[in-house]
């Protein structure tokens, strides 16, 4: 059993691990347990009653959180010609084509958080699949990162767009803001994310869809939210 730090132990005393908290109470607690010297990220972890190994049970999408994430993301755009100019005007941090792909391949360069690409550039980007894929950086039409409307994509990402997708254990992990947001804004971001996840329920999913929902700060303990209360 790993030894926990004093701050974590103090925060854990505020939590009843056997309890399923109401949403508002959970948001209040998660801000109180964020006691680090930096502004901790608040994360949501959602266990779903699906089997992601089957294509018809995949859950993936993206949403712009009402209050953003509290982090400004660096955006790399693969585009040429007018679309490259549009990306530059739209506020992309990096814009290019084959030369950026080569930089990633040869220099192990990853000074960006999100990759956007126009459809015609996917031949170039596709060659980076084994590099970008494991890092969750591969552009995808479902998340709005393969698009001709690069300006809109950049705007949404900068405004606080988050992508949600299942991991290998059928859990979705997503940030919903910073501890400094306070309970009310975190609550609104949380509800927006959960509504998107509920609406993305695959038709092939059987039984209870929301198996468990946990919120936690970067350094704090997990707080279980009552999934029955999450309904739209």
């Amino acid at each position: 059993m790993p030894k926990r730090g004093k701050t974590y132990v103090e925060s854990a005393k505020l939590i009843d691990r056997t309890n399923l908290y109401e949403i508002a109470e959970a948001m209040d607690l998660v801000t109180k347990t964020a006691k680090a010297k930096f502004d901790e990220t608040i994360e949501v972890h959602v266990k779903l009653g699906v089997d992601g190994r089957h294509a018809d049970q995949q859950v993936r999408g993206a949403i712009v959180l009402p209050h953003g994430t509290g982090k400004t993301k660096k955006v790399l755009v693969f585009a040429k010609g007018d679309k490259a100019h549009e990306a530059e005007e739209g506020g992309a941090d990096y814009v290019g084509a084959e030369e950026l792909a080569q930089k990633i391949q040869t220099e192990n360069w990853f000074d960006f958080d999100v990759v956007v690409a126009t459809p015609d550039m996917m031949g170039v980007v596709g060659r980076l699949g084994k590099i970008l894929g494991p890092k969750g950086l591969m552009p995808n039409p479902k998340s709005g990162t393969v698009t001709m409307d690069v300006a809109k994509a950049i705007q949404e990402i900068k405004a606080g767009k988050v992508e949600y997708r299942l991991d290998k254990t059928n859990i979705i992990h997503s940030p919903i803001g910073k501890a400094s947001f306070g309970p009310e804004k975190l609550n609104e971001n949380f509800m927006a994310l959960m509504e998107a996840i509920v609406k993305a329920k695959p038709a092939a999913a059987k039984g209870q869809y929301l198996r468990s929902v946990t919120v936690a700060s970067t350094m704090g303990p997990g707080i279980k939210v009552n999934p029955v209360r999450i309904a739209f």
Side-chain angles (χ1 to χ4, degrees):
M1 184 89 178
K3 187 176 180 180
R4 299 292 191 179
K6 183 180 178 181
T7 302
Y8 181 96
V9 172
E10 288 298 313
S11 293
K13 290 178 182 178
L14 300 172
I15 309 300
D16 180 355
R17 290 186 175 274
T18 64
N19 190 39
L20 293 177
Y21 288 93
E22 297 298 312
I23 298 166
E25 191 177 7
M27 296 306 141
D28 186 51
L29 277 172
V30 79
T31 57
K32 289 179 178 176
T33 57
K35 297 182 177 181
K37 293 180 180 179
F38 61 93
D39 193 6
E40 296 183 52
T41 295
I42 307 301
E43 301 170 347
V44 177
H45 308 277
V46 185
K47 174 76 171 179
L48 296 180
V50 298
D51 187 346
R53 292 174 298 178
H54 301 289
D56 62 353
Q57 294 189 49
Q58 274 292 327
V59 179
R60 181 173 186 172
I63 182 174
V64 178
L65 298 177
H67 303 287
T69 62
K71 179 185 177 183
T72 301
K73 292 185 177 181
K74 288 185 178 180
V75 182
L76 181 157
V77 178
F78 282 98
K80 287 183 176 181
D82 291 343
K83 288 298 170 182
H85 180 68
E86 182 183 322
E88 291 169 353
E89 291 290 308
D93 297 276
Y94 306 102
V95 182
E98 287 84 354
E99 74 282 3
L100 288 183
Q102 186 175 6
K103 185 177 176 71
I104 292 169
Q105 285 179 310
T106 60
E107 300 178 24
N108 199 32
W109 174 68
F110 290 103
D111 186 29
F112 48 88
D113 303 296
V114 184
V115 180
V116 175
T118 53
D120 59 300
M121 290 302 300
M122 287 308 293
V124 174
V125 180
R127 298 198 292 269
L128 301 172
K130 291 183 178 180
I131 302 172
L132 298 179
K135 294 180 179 292
L137 293 169
M138 194 67 183
N140 186 284
K142 289 184 178 179
S143 62
T145 47
V146 177
T147 177
M148 289 300 288
D149 196 346
V150 292
K152 180 183 177 183
I154 296 163
Q155 181 185 16
E156 289 182 342
I157 292 163
K158 296 285 187 180
K161 186 176 185 178
V162 294
E163 182 180 354
Y164 57 87
R165 60 185 298 183
L166 290 175
D167 68 6
K168 292 180 180 179
T169 60
N170 301 313
I171 298 175
I172 288 174
H173 311 272
S174 176
I176 56 166
K178 297 286 187 178
S180 61
F181 281 21
E184 189 173 326
K185 288 183 178 179
L186 288 172
N187 195 335
E188 291 176 14
N189 277 359
F190 173 83
M191 294 304 289
L193 174 67
M194 292 309 302
E195 182 175 9
I197 292 172
V198 169
K199 286 183 176 179
K201 179 182 178 179
K206 305 297 181 184
Q208 185 180 353
Y209 181 55
L210 299 177
R211 294 287 177 87
S212 69
V213 181
T214 304
V215 295
S217 63
T218 305
M219 305 295 288
I223 300 163
K224 296 177 182 178
V225 179
N226 188 349
V228 176
R229 297 296 189 184
I230 303 169
F232 300 93

